[in-house]
Amino acid sequence: NVGKREFIEQRYQYWEETENLLVSIRRSGFKSLPEDKLLRLGALYKKTATDLAKARAVEPYGDVTLYLNRLVADTHSIIYVDNAKPWTSFRDFITSGFPCVIRKHSKVVLITALIFLMPAVLGYHWMNTEPQWMLKFFPGVSTALEQMSSELESGPALLASGNIPKENMPVFSSYIMVNNIQISIYAFALGITFGFGTAFLLITNGVLLGGVSQLYFSRGNDYDIYFLAGVLPHGVIELTAIVFSATAGFLLAGALIMPGSLRRFDALRYHGKN
């Protein structure tokens, strides 16, 4: 008890000073305090946190410990309060935050786009000259293209929406959008497979896109227009989103493959923010 009394006598002036500064800030805001007082509050916060640790070691549930715990919590909430407005945060994200991240990793974005677009060109070429290569290396894609080819016999369906009743068009549009959102999520999450899953997803969907475009463009009779009308309105946004998501997946893969001086878990946390 003697030690407790001495501890309170020695430190109480700092606790009281902290309380007074908190009252001033609550009453008139941060701007009411001069800079030296604000710096003083930071120093007092550290002192009070240290006192709390000492009090907990001696009397974990004592009255002094409970008082200091409340005082530290109140000071922390004042110092580290988040004053950002939702609209301001969203505006900053759109105008500077997101573009800065893309610019920072522009090389990875470019490589990712090439991993997606080059197989699309290859898929177009294979369908045009040697479709057996498609069956050999991408049997799943080949099956999807065969099914689509048979449906095109009756007119520009699926992507062009030519033979879909008007009442079913919203459902069809939602299906395409949800499918691309799922691909985006998978492209990011599969970065945890050291990037192999992300690369496979990009290549497969690139080959499918190239193969589908060849099906339409090779038929003439305005099928190319139907294809572009079916793909461009949503594809410009959604295919770009897939590339960005896959870029994020490759950044995760880079953290696993080349963590540098960090542990892999810490490297994942760092690149996860980007």
Side-chain angles (χ1 to χ4, degrees), residues 23-196:
V23 170
S24 297
I25 292 173
R26 291 194 184 101
R27 183 186 300 122
S28 307
F30 276 105
K31 294 182 179 180
S32 64
L33 296 182
E35 184 177 353
D36 61 323
K37 290 292 186 181
L38 293 175
L39 294 175
R40 178 62 177 167
L41 180 62
L44 289 171
Y45 172 68
K46 295 179 181 179
K47 290 178 181 291
T48 309
T50 301
D51 293 340
L52 174 60
K54 292 178 180 178
R56 279 177 174 168
V58 176
E59 197 175 11
Y61 302 102
D63 52 350
V64 175
T65 302
L66 295 176
Y67 166 75
L68 290 175
N69 188 73
R70 179 193 60 78
L71 184 58
V72 169
D74 290 346
T75 309
H76 181 277
S77 65
I78 289 291
I79 293 176
Y80 296 102
V81 64
D82 183 9
N83 291 315
K85 298 179 180 179
W87 167 245
T88 302
S89 299
F90 178 74
R91 182 197 63 196
D92 292 343
F93 170 75
I94 294 297
T95 59
S96 60
F98 184 66
C100 285
V101 173
I102 296 300
R103 193 177 302 114
K104 178 180 179 181
H105 300 289
S106 57
K107 292 182 179 179
V108 185
V109 174
L110 177 60
I111 293 172
T112 304
L114 290 175
I115 294 175
F116 181 59
L117 295 176
M118 289 181 66
V121 174
L122 190 60
Y124 186 99
H125 172 73
W126 276 347
M127 280 297 295
N128 194 40
T129 58
E130 300 172 299
Q132 68 273 12
W133 284 95
M134 189 83 71
L135 178 62
K136 182 177 181 180
F137 291 104
F138 301 95
V141 172
S142 180
T143 301
L145 291 175
E146 288 177 1
Q147 180 181 356
M148 189 172 295
S149 179
S150 64
E151 291 175 343
L152 288 178
E153 296 297 333
S154 59
L158 281 178
L159 291 177
S161 303
N163 292 337
I164 298 178
K166 289 184 178 180
E167 61 270 17
N168 292 339
M169 284 185 179
V171 177
F172 179 72
S173 176
S174 299
Y175 169 78
I176 294 177
M177 183 178 68
V178 170
N179 177 71
N180 286 337
I181 291 174
Q182 289 177 334
I183 293 174
S184 297
I185 294 173
Y186 291 146
F188 167 66
L190 288 174
I192 206 72
T193 63
F194 294 89
F196 290 107

Side-chain angles (χ1 to χ4, degrees), residues 190-198 249-250 252-254 256-257 264:
L190 288 174
I192 206 72
T193 63
F194 294 89
F196 290 107
T198 300
F250 284 133
L252 291 184
L256 291 172
I257 297 171
R264 280 189 168 84

